[in-house]
Amino acid sequence: LSQGMRVMPHSGGRVGKGIYFADAASKAATYCGVQQEGGLGMLALAEVALGSSALVEQDQPLLMRPPSGADSVLAHGRLQPARQAVLCA
């Protein structure tokens, strides 16, 4: 991180080149590069300030920046964490 968080030239995904964050560790873990069972991977826990988010309903891989009036882009996946906590007694 000595050079900050940089967008790599080969990056790109559902909403173009950028720095992607996930709200589910299981999703982020798929990008850790662990090749074999029992291998070691690393995740960074970060609190991310999104500002005003634009919701993207379908993939836009050529997107270069958030739409006008937005600071970030939010793309929901097919699976999402529960939005409420479930407490068991």
Side-chain angles (χ1 to χ4, degrees), residues 14-77:
R14 291 190 58 201
V15 288
K17 292 184 178 186
I19 299 172
Y20 286 66
F21 294 91
D23 59 358
S26 59
K27 177 65 174 178
T30 65
Y31 294 93
C32 286
V34 177
Q35 302 289 320
Q36 59 192 13
E37 185 175 330
L40 179 64
M42 299 177 109
L43 291 177
L45 179 62
E47 185 173 345
V48 180
L50 299 176
S52 175
S53 295
L55 181 61
V56 173
E57 300 288 345
Q58 51 188 216
D59 292 358
Q60 296 183 27
L62 300 178
L63 193 64
M64 299 297 286
R65 62 186 49 84
S68 180
D71 302 306
S72 62
V73 175
L74 181 61
H76 288 289

